[in-house]
Each structure stands twice: as structure tokens, then as C-alpha cells.
């Protein structure tokens, strides 16, 4: 009896603990208990949302919950969804919230990681620095490789298919055609035009590749939400992932490796038809970090093979993501235009204003030349159509999971949200806020034709999330200009986060450009030997605004460089100084003195020495440009830098030969300029130009 009595007490205690841990605490006592529940079972089980995701009803279900309950809802015991900008996506995606392991589970390839699947911010930032310059707007618009790719694919492959379909009045599978178009286009930029796919013209191979890519889609759910079920189902002989699905994945991996091997053979080429732009950039960057052992050829072979897999994984991720999202966007764009013939007609008239015009077939004897990218960008209706299509039909409409950090954080007005909670936002819901996008379920391109600096446009851009969430210095007669962003105004550290300039920032840059840029002015394009621009969006915008009215600037003298990217703030991205110092105190740092970025650098970001190294490399290049112009020798000699607040102040210190921690107080106001030069016309005596005289 005693044993039975004690056993009963023990069982009761265990049951009580289980009830407390899995029901009472999560439902009533957890900090998440205050957040509205999207389903009555959400506090105690994720089963309901897993079922919705299995039924492919995730986006609409979460959106309905936000519509009913507000900007934050609880989806499961440890999962929440946000649908707001302030206290929402700016906080979660601005920095400090690492990616969830959902990413490598779903998008991993070749047993390694791409930039997109890296969960840690440090390794992600390192890889991004290797690649971001070749995707900057200025680089793309001046790339001879991309010009040839565009002309070849549009004129030689794509338009003839449309001509034949129109003349024969036969129907075509538009999405399949768009998938082929975008696969050919993206693969040509990655691997080189001659090495890339030609799915537009090779129809049997097109169907083979697209089938093997698409047939695996229904099974992504298991990797996303119930990964433990995969090995369990295999162990009991009832695999949820069929063998043919795994075989399809192997086909895609082998095809990608073959493309990479072809690109590797062309990596030394500068021929626009062969040069593998993205592959070459990544391989050259990774080779700088490669560590080989002279006495161990076997180990070296393993290192090189791992590098081959890492590059192939990155290329595959960019190929598949780039082709799929672009194809989805194009297909929805066609669909919406097909329902609005009046907008089709307006767009046709707008496109006919381009010079040279895009005609098919081209006029007899005429040269096949595409319009300038800047001219296409300047077409307001076209831009409105693209923006509205991406708003209503975002190619990635669903969740983008992150993990809440330590210490506990605040979101959407709720405090003390504990670490290691899964938190998501989705473009599907952000783009359907009726207060920002009136009548959000209708396709209205003209909503984007308002005054660019109007409050309505600024608010729409803040909520636009189709792609997820400046400075200028001239050296010699070197000038620096910095644009203003929302985070500049609030004092938040902004490194890799892509933010637009504010309306005031745009005005400041335009004002500076009007007064100081032009023939005979302080920044005379005819005197510029080179312009170096940071790859960050705000710097690219600053450059374009500054030189928007100048046709004298040779695009070959403009380059995007990671050496001017803003300081990588790591864990401190999006924080202000007081928050950083509080966080470091919790990490047991700075017991004797407060944090100083110039001395202490950033956790999981860059150290002062790392920033020093890349700036010193740039300074050496600048001096090599200017060394033969110390005494007024003919030819352009000015160098312009377009970068960011911390980075430009760091540049001044290194230009003057000071270490980062040297207490040199500098201010670079948004829209301001600075000048660096040389004393005594001596390349070895760099100096700060403290004053400017005007005639």
C-alpha cells in the first residue's frame, strides 16, 4: 500500500509539473500570454498553424488573424507574427534578431550554406561583402556583360518566341516561358553567357530542368515545419519525401556543379560573352581567405573541394531564388495587364518614348541597341506597374522567420518577450494595410504616381516589403557627402541594413549637387579621375542624385567597392549607443570604461583593425591614381568617395595616418561636404583641407 501511495503522489507531481509547464505557464503566465492568440490552442500547441501550412493556407490565415487582432499575434507556444513597421519589422529585421534554422533546413544545398541560409549575422555579412558590389545599381547599369546578356536574350531568344506565337495565334504557357527567360538571364550573369542555360530555345531541356525544380515544391513543408518527421518516416519504411523527389534534387545539384565547372574554366576571361561575373567575384574573394598547407596536398585537395561546394551552393541559391521570384513577378504582371487593356495602351505609349526604341522585329539594317537603364527607370507608369505588382503579388509573400535575442525584447507594444522565440513578418500582410494602401486587394499602379516626396509615398515605401527589410568624399580636391536616412536621424547604427534616404536627405543631396557639381564648379566631372561608391543602397542613391544632371561623367570611371561599405556593426545593427553599452554590460564587457567603436569595434561585426585594413587598401589605390598629378600635370586627378558617416570619419583618420582610436572629433552632417588633399604637393603628406576659398 505504501508503494502504491507514494507512486500515486509521484505520478500526481509529475502530471502537475507537466500541466504547469505545457498548459498553465504558456497560456497564463508566459510573457507571450498577453499577446492575442491567433487560435485558441496557440498557447499550448503549434499543431493548428502546422496544419494550415500543410494545407498551404499560411499567409491568408495569418493575415486574417492580424486583421482581427492587431499588429502582433501569437501563432504557437513559441512563435509570434508581427505586422507593423515601428516596433515590428524595423526592430526585428533591422539587426540583432538572427535567422531561424528554418532557412538552412529549406534552402540548403550540397551539405553547405549559402548567404541566404546562414543564420549568423557575422558570416552572412562576410559573404555579402564579397558579392554586393556586383549587384549595386551603378555596377549593373554600366556592366558590358549585362548589356550583352540583355541584348542576346531579349532580341535573339525571347522576342522571336513572342513574334511566332502572335503570328500563329497559338497559346503559350506564360509562366513556363518566364521561368525560362529568368533562368537564362540569371545563369548568364552568374556563370557567363556562353556557359549558361538556354531554356528559351532548348525546349526539351527546359521541361526537364523546370520539372525537376518544381516537382519538389510540395515537399518543402516537411523541411520547414516538421524536419524530425523525415528521418523517422524513413526509419519505419514510410518516407514522407519520396525517392524521386530526392533524385530530382540530385539532378539540379549536378546541373549546377556542371555550370560552375564551366564558369571556372572561364574565370580568367574578360570577354563579356564568357566572363562569369558573379562566379568570378565570389571565387576571387574566397581565394583571398583560403588557407592551404604546403606540406599536405591531401588536406589542400579537401579544402579546395569544400570551396568548390561553397561556391556552387551560393551560385545555386542565387540562380534558383533569382529565377523563381522574377518569373513569378513577371507572370503576375502579365496577368494584371491582360485585365487592364487601358493601362496596356498607356504603357505602350510610354515605352515608345524610349530612344532607341525596342521593336521586334528590328527595322531592316538597324543596329540592335537597348535603351539606357536610367531612361527605363525614369518611366513613371512602368515603375508604378512594377511596384504595384510586387505589392499585391509579392514573389515571396510568406514568413521570414527570425529568433528573438537575449535579453528580452519589446515588440509592437508588448514588453519582456523572451529569447529564442520564433518571430515572423510577411509581405502578404504588410502590403494589405488599408490605412497605407487604400483598397489593398485591387491592382492600382497609379497609386505610385504621386509626388515622390509626399507623405503618402513615404509611408507606402516604409511598408513596402517585397524584398525584405550617404556619404561622399572627394580626395585630392576630394569631397565627401553624406545622405540622410531615418536611422541617421535617430542615431541608430546602420551598417548592412538597406534604408532609403529621407525626403530631407534627398533634398540635401540635390541641393549640394546643384551648387557644387558641374562644369567649373567644385566637383567638375571633367576633373574626376574616379568615383568610388559604397554598395549600400543609400550611397548608390546619393551618387545618382548628385550626378543626375551631369552627362560628362564617364561611367567607366565609377566603381562600387566593399571597401567603402559602412562599418559592419554586427550585433549592434539598428541600436543606439546607450543600447549598445547596456548590451555589452550584460555580456560582461567594458567594466573599466564605456564602449568606444573606434577602440572596441563590434561584437560579431568588424574590429577597428579590419576597417583600417580595407581603408588603407583603398588609400593606396587613390594615391596611385594621384601620384603623377602633384604639380598640376594635365588630366583628371580628383577622386570622389560616396560612403557613410562612421566609414568616412574613419577614412579621414587613416588618410591623416592616425590610428582609429586617435581622439579626432569630426562631424559629417547629412548633405555636407569635406575636402582632403596634400601638403606641399607631396603624395607623402596627406592633409585635411580645413577651409575653402571661393572666387
Amino acid at each position: 500500500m505504501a508503494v502504491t501511495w507514494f507512486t500515486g503522489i509521484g505520478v500526481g507531481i509529475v502530471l502537475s509539473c507537466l500541466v504547469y509547464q505545457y498548459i498553465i505557464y504558456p497560456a497564463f503566465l508566459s510573457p507571450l500570454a498577453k499577446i492575442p492568440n491567433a487560435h485558441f490552442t496557440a498557447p499550448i500547441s503549434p499543431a493548428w498553424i502546422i496544419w494550415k501550412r500543410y494545407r498551404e493556407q499560411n499567409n491568408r490565415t495569418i493575415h486574417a488573424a492580424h486583421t482581427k487582432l492587431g499588429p502582433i499575434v501569437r501563432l504557437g507556444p513559441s512563435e509570434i507574427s508581427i505586422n507593423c513597421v515601428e516596433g515590428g519589422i524595423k526592430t526585428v529585421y533591422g539587426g540583432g534578431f538572427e535567422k531561424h534554422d528554418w532557412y538552412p533546413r529549406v534552402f540548403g544545398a550540397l551539405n553547405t550554406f549559402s548567404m541566404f541560409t546562414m543564420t549568423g549575422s557575422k558570416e552572412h555579412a562576410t559573404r555579402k561583402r564579397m558579392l554586393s558590389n556586383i549587384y549595386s545599381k551603378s555596377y549593373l547599369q554600366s556592366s558590358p556583360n549585362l548589356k550583352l546578356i540583355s541584348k542576346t536574350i531579349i532580341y535573339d531568344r525571347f522576342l522571336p518566341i513572342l513574334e511566332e506565337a502572335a503570328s500563329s495565334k497559338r497559346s503559350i504557357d506564360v509562366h513556363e516561358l518566364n521561368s525560362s527567360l529568368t533562368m537564362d538571364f540569371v545563369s548568364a550573369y552568374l556563370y557567363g553567357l556562353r556557359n549558361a542555360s538556354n531554356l528559351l530555345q532548348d525546349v526539351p531541356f527546359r521541361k526537364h530542368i523546370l520539372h525537376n525544380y518544381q516537382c519538389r515544391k510540395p515537399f518543402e513543408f516537411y523541411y520547414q515545419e516538421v524536419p524530425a518527421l523525415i528521418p523517422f518516416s524513413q526509419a519505419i519504411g514510410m518516407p514522407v519525401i519520396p525517392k524521386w523527389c530526392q533524385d530530382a534534387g540530385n539532378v539540379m545539384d549536378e546541373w549546377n556543379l556542371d555550370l560552375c565547372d564551366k564558369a571556372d574554366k572561364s574565370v580568367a576571361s574578360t570577354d563579356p560573352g564568357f566572363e562569369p561575373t558573379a562566379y568570378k567575384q565570389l571565387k576571387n574573394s574566397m581565394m583571398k581567405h583560403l588557407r592551404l598547407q604546403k606540406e599536405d596536398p591531401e588536406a589542400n585537395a579537401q579544402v579546395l573541394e569544400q570551396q568548390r561546394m561553397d561556391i556552387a551552393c551560393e551560385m545555386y541559391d542565387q540562380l534558383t531564388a533569382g529565377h523563381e521570384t522574377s518569373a513569378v513577378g513577371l507572370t503576375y504582371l502579365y496577368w494584371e495587364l491582360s485585365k487592364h487593356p487601358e493601362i496596356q495602351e498607356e504603357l505602350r505609349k510610354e515605352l515608345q518614348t524610349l530612344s532607341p526604341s525596342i521593336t521586334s522585329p528590328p527595322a531592316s539594317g538597324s543596329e540592335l541597341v537597348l535603351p539606357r537603364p536610367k531612361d527605363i527607370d525614369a518611366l513613371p507608369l512602368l515603375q508604378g506597374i512594377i511596384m504595384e505588382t510586387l505589392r499585391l503579388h509579392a514573389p515571396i509573400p510568406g514568413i521570414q522567420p527570425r529568433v528573438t535575442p537575449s535579453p528580452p525584447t519589446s515588440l509592437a507594444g508588448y514588453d519582456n518577450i523572451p529569447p529564442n522565440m520564433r518571430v515572423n513578418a510577411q509581405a502578404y500582410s504588410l502590403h494589405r494595410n488599408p490605412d497605407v494602401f487604400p483598397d489593398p486587394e485591387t491592382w492600382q499602379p497609379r497609386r505610385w504616381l504621386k509626388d515622390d516626396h509626399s507623405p503618402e509615398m513615404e509611408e507606402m515605401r516604409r511598408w513596402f516589403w517585397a524584398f525584405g527589410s550617404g556619404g561622399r568624399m572627394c580626395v585630392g580636391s576630394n569631397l565627401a557627402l553624406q545622405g540622410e536616412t531615418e536611422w541617421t536621424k535617430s542615431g541608430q547604427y546602420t551598417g548592412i541594413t538597406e534604408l532609403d534616404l529621407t525626403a530631407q536627405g534627398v533634398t540635401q543631396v540635390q541641393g549640394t549637387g546643384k551648387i557644387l557639381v558641374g562644369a567649373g564648379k567644385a566637383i567638375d566631372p571633367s576633373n574626376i579621375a574616379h568615383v568610388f561608391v559604397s554598395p549600400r543602397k543609400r550611397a548608390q542613391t546619393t551618387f545618382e542624385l548628385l550626378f543626375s544632371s551631369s552627362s560628362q561623367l564617364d561611367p567607366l570611371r565609377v566603381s562600387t567597392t566593399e571597401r567603402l561599405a559602412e562599418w559592419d556593426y554586427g550585433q549592434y545593427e539598428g541600436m543606439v549607443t546607450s543600447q549598445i553599452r547596456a548590451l555589452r554590460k550584460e555580456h560582461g564587457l567594458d567594466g573599466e570604461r564605456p564602449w568606444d567603436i573606434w577602440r572596441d569595434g563590434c561584437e560579431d561585426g568588424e574590429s577597428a583593425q579590419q576597417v583600417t585594413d580595407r581603408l588603407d587598401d583603398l588609400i593606396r589605390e587613390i594615391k596611385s591614381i594621384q601620384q603623377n598629378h602633384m604639380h598640376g600635370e594635365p588630366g583628371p586627378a580628383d577622386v570622389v568617395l560616396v560612403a557613410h558617416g562612421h566609414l568616412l570619419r574613419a577614412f579621414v583618420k587613416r588618410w591623416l595616418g592616425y590610428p582609429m582610436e586617435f581622439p579626432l572629433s569630426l562631424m559629417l552632417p547629412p548633405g555636407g561636404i569635406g575636402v582632403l588633399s596634400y601638403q606641399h604637393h607631396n603624395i607623402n603628406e596627406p592633409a585635411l583641407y580645413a577651409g575653402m576659398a571661393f572666387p
Side-chain angles (χ1 to χ4, degrees):
M1 291 294 292
V3 172
T4 303
W5 184 73
F6 279 115
T7 301
I9 291 177
V11 170
I13 291 173
V14 170
L15 288 175
S16 298
C17 290
L18 291 174
V19 169
Y20 175 82
Q21 182 176 353
Y22 292 106
I23 298 178
I24 295 176
Y25 179 80
F28 303 105
L29 303 178
S30 164
L32 301 188
K34 298 175 290 185
I35 297 173
N37 296 316
H39 189 268
F40 73 94
T41 63
I44 60 174
S45 172
W48 81 277
I49 191 63
I50 290 176
W51 174 249
K52 292 292 185 181
R53 287 167 178 160
Y54 176 75
R55 297 287 303 276
E56 298 183 347
Q57 298 171 349
N58 178 78
N59 299 346
R60 285 172 290 169
T61 298
I62 293 176
H63 180 62
H66 280 299
T67 301
K68 180 180 179 180
L69 300 171
I72 184 168
V73 295
R74 190 177 186 182
L75 303 179
S78 58
E79 182 178 1
I80 55 180
S81 175
I82 53 171
N83 189 44
C84 55
V85 176
E86 300 298 333
I89 58 174
K90 282 182 69 173
T91 301
V92 173
Y93 298 90
F97 288 63
E98 299 287 16
K99 280 189 170 182
H100 193 273
D101 61 7
W102 181 91
Y103 287 90
R105 292 202 307 256
V106 181
F107 301 105
L110 300 170
N111 296 314
T112 187
F113 300 98
S114 66
M115 178 170 61
F116 185 66
T117 62
M118 293 172 178
T119 56
S121 57
K122 187 173 183 179
E123 58 266 32
H124 177 272
T126 300
R127 180 66 59 82
K128 186 173 183 178
R129 282 196 296 271
M130 293 180 180
L131 287 163
S132 58
N133 69 306
I134 60 168
Y135 289 108
S136 68
K137 194 171 184 179
S138 62
Y139 187 97
L140 294 171
Q141 290 189 346
S142 62
S143 168
N145 298 12
L146 195 58
K147 186 179 296 185
L148 179 62
I149 290 168
S150 301
K151 189 168 79 170
T152 301
I153 292 177
I154 292 173
Y155 279 119
D156 296 349
R157 303 182 192 177
F158 184 61
L159 290 180
I161 293 174
L162 297 184
E163 290 168 27
E164 193 278 329
S167 61
S168 65
K169 297 184 179 180
R170 68 175 179 86
S171 62
I172 54 176
D173 185 329
V174 172
H175 188 58
E176 180 182 302
L177 185 67
N178 285 335
S179 296
S180 305
L181 168 67
T182 55
M183 186 77 84
D184 288 356
F185 195 90
V186 175
S187 65
Y189 193 65
L190 296 176
Y191 310 106
L193 180 61
R194 303 289 188 269
N195 304 317
S197 67
N198 186 1
L199 302 190
L200 282 169
Q201 295 179 323
D202 190 343
V203 177
F205 191 65
R206 171 207 301 178
K207 294 186 179 296
H208 170 69
I209 287 296
L210 294 182
H211 167 73
N212 280 285
Y213 180 75
Q214 294 290 346
C215 72
R216 302 169 300 153
K217 289 293 179 181
F219 300 94
E220 287 181 350
F221 160 80
Y222 297 101
Y223 294 100
Q224 291 173 342
E225 304 300 333
V226 286
L229 184 60
I230 298 173
F232 175 76
S233 67
Q234 292 172 336
I236 64 174
M238 300 176 63
V240 294
I241 308 295
K243 184 178 182 301
W244 58 261
C245 181
Q246 298 175 10
D247 292 341
N250 293 335
V251 168
M252 296 303 296
D253 285 344
E254 290 169 6
W255 180 52
N256 172 56
L257 282 169
D258 181 60
L259 291 172
C260 286
D261 290 342
K262 290 178 180 177
D264 199 68
K265 295 176 182 177
S266 306
V267 79
S269 175
T270 56
D271 182 338
F274 283 95
E275 186 176 20
T277 304
Y279 181 93
K280 181 176 184 176
Q281 172 72 18
L282 181 58
K283 180 165 186 179
N284 288 344
S285 297
M286 293 182 74
M287 287 298 292
K288 295 177 182 178
H289 301 278
L290 199 63
R291 298 291 182 266
L292 298 178
Q293 304 296 325
K294 292 182 179 179
E295 296 80 16
D296 195 342
E298 184 175 339
N300 289 344
Q302 293 176 355
V303 170
L304 290 170
E305 180 61 16
Q306 183 58 52
Q307 184 193 69
R308 176 174 176 255
M309 293 297 107
D310 290 341
I311 295 174
C313 177
E314 188 65 58
M315 293 297 100
Y316 182 74
D317 180 73
Q318 294 187 31
L319 174 66
T320 54
H323 112 268
E324 184 176 4
T325 54
S326 300
V328 168
L330 280 172
T331 301
Y332 272 118
L333 189 150
Y334 295 172
W335 181 56
E336 291 290 0
L337 280 174
S338 72
K339 297 187 295 180
H340 297 84
E342 75 287 356
I343 295 181
Q344 279 191 57
E345 184 59 30
E346 285 184 56
L347 177 61
R348 186 177 293 109
K349 291 178 180 178
E350 186 178 74
L351 291 171
Q352 288 172 347
T353 66
L354 291 170
S355 179
S357 61
I358 302 176
T359 58
S360 184
S364 177
S366 64
E367 183 183 1
L368 299 179
V369 180
L370 291 171
R372 294 191 313 165
K374 286 185 177 181
D375 294 338
I376 297 173
D377 279 350
L379 299 178
L381 181 59
L382 176 61
Q383 296 307 311
I385 288 170
I386 293 171
M387 292 292 288
E388 183 66 355
T389 302
L390 292 174
R391 181 198 68 82
L392 187 57
H393 307 291
I396 305 178
I399 60 172
Q400 298 188 32
R402 296 292 188 272
V403 178
T404 55
S406 178
T409 189
S410 299
L411 291 172
Y414 289 86
D415 299 328
N416 201 34
I417 295 175
N420 299 317
M421 299 294 105
R422 175 165 150 175
V423 55
N424 320 301
Q426 58 178 30
Y428 186 91
S429 295
L430 289 162
H431 290 177
R432 284 167 171 76
N433 182 344
D435 295 330
V436 180
F437 305 103
D439 200 4
E441 293 293 347
T442 62
W443 188 72
Q444 299 180 28
R446 291 185 181 86
R447 75 168 84 233
W448 297 95
L449 303 185
K450 300 180 179 71
D451 176 56
D452 202 45
H453 305 309
S454 67
E456 295 88 350
M457 280 292 285
E458 288 194 6
E459 191 68 359
M460 286 197 298
R461 282 195 292 263
R462 272 172 20 98
W463 284 76
F464 184 77
W465 214 56
F467 304 103
S469 337
R472 177 179 180 273
M473 181 181 288
C474 179
V475 185
S477 290
N478 308 295
L479 308 167
L481 174 105
Q482 181 187 14
E484 182 183 70
T485 67
E486 288 290 350
W487 283 17
T488 305
K489 292 165 64 178
S490 64
Q492 292 171 272
Y493 286 75
T494 316
I496 62 173
T497 304
E498 296 291 18
L499 296 174
D500 291 322
L501 297 180
T502 64
Q504 177 63 20
V506 170
T507 300
Q508 288 170 320
V509 175
Q510 289 175 329
T512 301
K514 182 178 180 180
I515 295 172
L516 294 178
V517 179
K521 296 182 179 180
I523 308 175
D524 188 334
S526 65
N527 294 332
I528 293 176
H530 207 86
V531 181
F532 293 99
V533 189
S534 160
R536 297 287 86 82
K537 179 181 178 181
R538 53 198 183 275
Q540 295 285 323
T541 302
T542 297
F543 165 73
E544 291 164 9
L545 290 171
L546 196 72
F547 289 96
S548 60
S549 61
S550 175
S551 60
Q552 296 177 301
L553 185 62
D554 185 349
L556 296 178
R557 293 182 177 179
V558 180
S559 61
T560 299
T561 175
E562 276 290 340
R563 292 172 295 182
L564 282 179
E566 181 58 294
W567 202 305
D568 181 355
Y569 298 121
Q571 294 184 27
Y572 310 153
E573 183 82 4
M575 295 183 178
V576 297
T577 300
S578 60
Q579 293 172 322
I580 295 170
R581 288 177 173 170
L583 177 64
R584 287 176 64 88
K585 186 176 181 180
E586 292 172 3
H587 292 175
L589 301 172
D590 308 330
E592 298 181 359
R593 55 189 180 184
W595 171 76
D596 183 341
I597 190 172
W598 306 107
R599 178 188 63 239
D600 303 317
C602 303
E603 292 178 89
D604 293 336
E606 284 186 298
S607 67
Q609 186 59 52
Q610 288 173 312
V611 175
T612 296
D613 291 343
R614 58 184 171 103
L615 289 180
D616 286 355
D617 183 66
L618 179 59
I619 288 171
R620 283 191 291 270
E621 182 173 352
I622 291 168
K623 288 185 175 181
S624 71
I625 293 172
Q626 297 182 322
Q627 62 185 353
N628 295 324
H629 297 273
M630 289 293 100
H631 299 281
E633 290 84 350
D638 290 352
V639 174
V640 176
L641 305 185
V642 185
H644 314 272
H646 262 131
L647 199 284
L648 290 178
R649 284 180 281 166
F651 186 92
V652 173
K653 289 186 177 185
R654 294 308 302 147
W655 182 259
L656 299 176
Y658 298 138
M660 286 294 181
E661 65 269 22
F662 185 81
L664 181 65
S665 296
L666 296 168
M667 293 180 65
L668 279 175
I673 65 167
V675 182
L676 296 174
S677 189
Y678 304 92
Q679 289 190 90
H680 309 124
H681 307 286
N682 188 338
I683 195 75
N684 297 315
E685 296 186 50
L688 174 65
Y689 204 101
M692 296 180 66
F694 293 93

